[in-house]
Amino acid sequence: MEHILAFDWAVFCWIEETLWNPLLDSWMVAVTKLGDGLVWVLLTLALWLHPKTRRAGTAVAIALLLSVVVGNGLLKHLIGRPRPFDLPAWQEMFRYPELILRPDSPSFPSGHTGAAVGAATALAMSEKKWWTAAIVLLALLIGFSRVYLHVHYPTDVLAGAAIGVCYGLAGCLLGKKVHRRIRSVNLK
């Protein structure tokens, strides 16, 4: 665990020393708010509106549902890792930027990252459009913003991204089954 915390601390120090500035502060706050869920719900609804992208919308919806149930509902509370600003050993050394409200849920894995990467993975697997790359980039920026704002350890975000890929893949597989089932019911 000490090696993980050393890695996390080194990344925090690098961000503070290299990247922190008022312009990026406000930009990272805006990016992290995009990960609060509304963007993903609107994306899902937009995909569902068009018959050609409906299966992608279902895959994204399933990935988001898995993120809420598995990541936020189960893993966070099962693991119970404290947020960086709550770690007693870091309280005197740690600089928390206070740019957003402090989350009160456990830290591991990053729910914002898991949901964003899950939705982006499901979309990338379902749709081969030019704008899919923009959604993937947004998901990665949301994960980075969580570290920049010091509300997650870097390892929380890496785990959230890895788990998010699993959510997205599961969303695609389950989405195909749902649509096959719907199609078979409609043919009868």
Side-chain angles (χ1 to χ4, degrees):
M1 187 67 171
E2 286 182 36
H3 295 300
I4 292 171
L5 286 175
F7 169 78
D8 288 333
W9 182 251
V11 172
F12 282 143
C13 287
W14 179 80
I15 287 171
E16 288 180 12
E17 294 166 6
T18 311
L19 298 178
W20 269 6
N21 68 68
L23 180 61
L24 202 51
D25 288 353
S26 58
W27 199 70
M28 285 293 131
V29 169
V31 169
T32 214
K33 287 181 188 228
L34 289 174
D36 287 348
L38 182 60
V39 165
W40 306 117
V41 170
L42 292 175
L43 174 65
T44 302
L45 292 173
L47 291 167
W48 273 341
L49 287 175
H50 301 287
K52 289 182 179 180
T53 58
R54 199 161 285 149
R55 189 163 64 179
T58 302
V60 170
I62 292 170
L64 292 172
L65 182 63
L66 287 171
S67 171
V68 170
V69 172
V70 175
N72 292 345
L74 182 67
L75 291 176
K76 276 185 180 284
H77 300 287
L78 195 64
I79 296 166
R81 186 180 194 189
R83 295 280 178 166
F85 48 77
D86 289 331
L87 192 63
W90 286 9
Q91 288 189 349
E92 288 190 27
M93 301 182 297
F94 185 66
R95 293 181 6 198
Y96 180 69
E98 300 287 349
L99 297 172
I100 62 172
L101 293 175
R102 290 181 179 212
D104 57 3
S105 63
S107 193
F108 186 92
S110 169
H112 278 71
T113 307
V117 170
T121 299
L123 183 62
M125 298 292 293
S126 303
E127 289 291 317
K128 306 298 184 222
K129 307 283 188 205
W130 66 267
W131 48 266
T132 303
I135 299 296
V136 171
L137 179 60
L138 175 61
L140 296 175
L141 283 172
I142 287 169
F144 178 75
S145 74
R146 305 303 284 171
V147 177
Y148 181 93
L149 296 169
H150 286 26
V151 294
H152 276 291
Y153 301 93
T155 49
D156 296 342
V157 169
L158 291 172
I163 294 167
V165 169
C166 295
Y167 299 149
L169 293 173
C172 285
L173 293 172
L174 294 171
K176 283 181 186 177
K177 287 184 180 192
V178 166
H179 280 272
R180 264 191 238 128
R181 186 83 161 136
I182 290 169
R183 214 172 309 137
S184 70
V185 169
N186 287 339
L187 292 175
K188 290 181 183 179

